[in-house]
Amino acid sequence: MASTGALVRPVVSFSPNWATISLHDSVTLICNVGSTSLLSQRYSWYKDNERIKGEEQNFRIENTEEKDRGNYKDNEKIKGEEQNFRIENTEEKDRGNYKDNERIKGEEQNFRIENAEEKDRGNYQCQTGTSERSDPVRLNVTNHRVILQAPPSVYEGDQLTLRCYTPNYKAKYTTFYKDNVNISSSSTDTVTLVASVGMTGTYRCKTLLQLYSDHYSPYISAEIVITIQELFSRPEIRANNNSLQEGDLLTITCHTVLNPARANTELQFAFYRNGHNVQGFHSSNHYTIQSARPQDSGNYTCHTAAPSVSVTKGSKELTIYFQAAVAVMASTGALVRPVVSFSPNWATISLHDSITLTCNVSSTSLLNQRYSWYKDNERIKGEEQNFRIENAEEKDSGNYQCQTGTSERSDPVRLDVTNERLILQAPPSVYEGDPLTLRCYTPNSIGKEVTFYKDNVIISSSPTDTVTLDTSVGMTGTYRCKALLPSELHCYSHYTSAEIVITIQELFSRPEIRANNNSLQEGDLLTISCHTVLNPARANTELQFAFYRNGHNVQGFHSSNHYTIQSARPQDSGSYTCHTAAPSVSVTKGSKELTIYFQGGSYTIENIIRLVLSVCILLSVPFLCYFHIK
């Protein structure tokens, strides 16, 4: 709040950046404040909620001696040896407590601890001006032979450096553990990891110490708990209305909460419809359609990214429907919306690689139709179905679309061109049931010992540079790969690719079972239908439907999504479900149950029995009368 002059809540950091130090080490605590408008502001320091000596407005000298005589300011003795020293018309420069030519410890932005002792262990806070106190940051001082050192605060995306510190001994062969699992073995005493929330856990290290000449013994550090804090929350996508009329204004926003301790982190936002990017990463968290069209209906998601630390998170889906969206008139000769595909089928390529973009249209009635190509919404040269990029450059990165005849533009498909030494390649669009092929690409060398990760968990280790997986919507996540690449003098070093977010799109929605009426009379016509929505980009996928009553199949998989009973009977009552399958990709989904009841069905047998008894009684009356007369 700059208008009120209030300062942003400060944050305490350490230099060197270790939460645990050894006895007699030194450390500097720094009070970081977002506002720099008050360069001469006064800092206050606290340890375990107690004000550290030296920041009070009054400075008290107990048991005074003759050496305490004098008035001091800014490293110089100032005029006056009287008991009282008067300052007229005070200014900010007069602030401070001084003795023996030195500013008294505790009012500076940096708070220095020299030759640390165990009594220096505690929770430290700082305060400045009208700000609140900072969050407490813990400093530990220990006398152990082996100390696992880590930063006091770690956020996802940070470089997490761990150090196996041996203050007084020579060490070798260091091993680091997380939750008792070996995560690194090295000849050095440090390891650096890229932090994610899933890396929260208990850490320790083990090393060999040289206690005597030419004799090494293994020692293990104390365990420490490292908590990786969220940089920002998972985004939530919202709309001004998710059921609108054609022509309405649509505004979609992407909401997230940034950690206050990292308030200066720049966030960017991107928006997707049915898995296709409709607005690239930008500082604005809004996406607006001025006049919505039926084809703007779909499942929307947003992604939030912190580019400085390569952290990206996606929202859940939000379904937005524009009424009259089904009014597509085939009689007008309008073409199905085209789809852009890549060959080779990689969304990311290396500098100087080549790639062909193809505009795929379902209708083939117009063989000589004209094609139009667009990059980042700008028309580009090209009228053929295929658009070729030779010897790609970084400027070729962008969102590509095509259009043909009277069709609309295709959804944008993203192409990235990079100069990285190791590139994780994946298809630009992946649908459930597709085989997902990942490639750990090394343009100018041959890698070995390739490992693929999803959300920082190993999913494959292979001597080759590719892996193929079966996909489902649950496989959406953040992927990367690591490989050994040749470096100088025939040595190999580990390299890690940039992370990419892969979204597995639904091929078709979960089916919904419907009936012309779910409470009928015996003998009525019953028609049950199985409704689903096929992703427009896969409009040519064949779907089949099957129906079940009380879990038993009553109609096997067939191209018709209807099941009909011409004359319903009581035994046709029950709980009905339907299944939709795409046999070509082995994807099957089932509906919820629908209970159908035929009125009167439970009384049929009873009524038949009553009718038979009535007839028997009527027939027996004449015989009884005849025998009575006889």
Side-chain angles (χ1 to χ4, degrees), residues 530-580:
C530 195
H531 291 262
T532 188
V533 178
L534 183 62
N535 195 304
R538 292 293 181 91
N540 293 328
T541 303
E542 179 196 356
L543 296 182
Q544 293 186 352
F545 306 87
F547 293 84
Y548 301 81
R549 183 181 67 247
N550 300 328
H552 298 284
N553 182 256
V554 292
Q555 181 172 295
F557 279 106
H558 191 269
S559 58
S560 171
N561 70 330
H562 291 81
Y563 170 62
T564 301
I565 300 175
Q566 296 294 335
S567 179
R569 300 168 297 168
Q571 52 266 41
D572 292 319
S573 298
S575 296
Y576 283 79
T577 57
C578 72
H579 283 192
T580 303

Side-chain angles (χ1 to χ4, degrees), residues 315-545:
S315 71
K316 294 182 179 179
E317 286 187 343
L318 172 68
T319 301
I320 298 177
Y321 174 70
F322 294 94
Q323 295 182 17
V326 295
V328 179
M329 297 174 289
S331 60
T332 62
L335 298 175
V336 176
R337 196 174 195 183
V339 176
V340 173
S341 63
F342 293 170
S343 179
N345 195 27
W346 304 124
T348 306
I349 62 175
S350 179
L351 206 65
H352 309 309
D353 282 355
S354 298
I355 189 168
T356 300
L357 284 63
T358 304
C359 189
N360 303 283
V361 186
S362 296
S363 172
T364 57
S365 57
L366 300 177
L367 299 178
N368 296 319
Q369 55 198 353
R370 178 182 174 185
Y371 294 84
S372 304
W373 286 93
Y374 300 83
K375 176 178 175 286
D376 297 330
N377 286 321
E378 297 290 331
R379 181 78 177 269
I380 56 178
K381 185 178 179 181
E383 294 184 359
E384 302 295 330
Q385 184 176 11
N386 295 331
F387 180 79
R388 180 77 174 166
I389 299 174
E390 297 280 0
N391 198 24
E393 302 178 30
E394 290 188 4
K395 67 178 182 179
D396 293 314
S397 297
N399 294 308
Y400 287 83
Q401 294 169 277
C402 71
Q403 187 177 19
T404 179
T406 57
S407 77
E408 302 171 32
R409 286 191 204 175
S410 66
D411 285 327
V413 181
R414 180 77 186 176
L415 174 68
D416 287 304
V417 181
T418 180
N419 198 26
E420 297 292 329
R421 189 168 181 188
L422 187 66
I423 305 168
L424 177 59
Q425 293 184 310
S429 302
V430 188
Y431 295 85
E432 54 184 346
D434 287 351
L436 169 60
T437 299
L438 303 176
R439 181 189 187 199
C440 202
Y441 179 38
T442 55
N444 303 310
S445 58
I446 298 176
K448 62 181 184 178
E449 295 183 18
V450 178
T451 306
F452 295 88
Y453 299 82
K454 174 185 178 289
D455 300 329
N456 291 315
V457 176
I458 294 176
I459 56 173
S460 175
S461 295
S462 171
T464 66
D465 64 350
T466 59
V467 63
T468 300
L469 311 168
D470 294 325
T471 57
S472 64
V473 174
M475 288 181 63
T476 292
T478 303
Y479 291 75
R480 60 184 173 91
C481 69
K482 184 169 72 172
L484 282 175
L485 299 185
S487 56
E488 297 178 359
L489 301 176
H490 306 289
C491 295
Y492 279 79
S493 300
H494 280 287
Y495 284 81
T496 302
S497 72
E499 290 184 335
I500 62 172
V501 175
I502 300 178
T503 301
I504 311 299
Q505 301 178 53
E506 270 200 326
L507 180 61
F508 56 87
S509 62
R510 182 180 179 183
E512 179 187 355
I513 190 168
R514 304 174 188 170
N516 54 336
N517 195 338
N518 61 351
S519 182
L520 304 105
Q521 297 292 332
E522 186 175 351
D524 284 351
L525 171 71
L526 171 63
T527 301
I528 302 174
S529 55
C530 195
H531 291 262
T532 188
V533 178
L534 183 62
N535 195 304
R538 292 293 181 91
N540 293 328
T541 303
E542 179 196 356
L543 296 182
Q544 293 186 352
F545 306 87

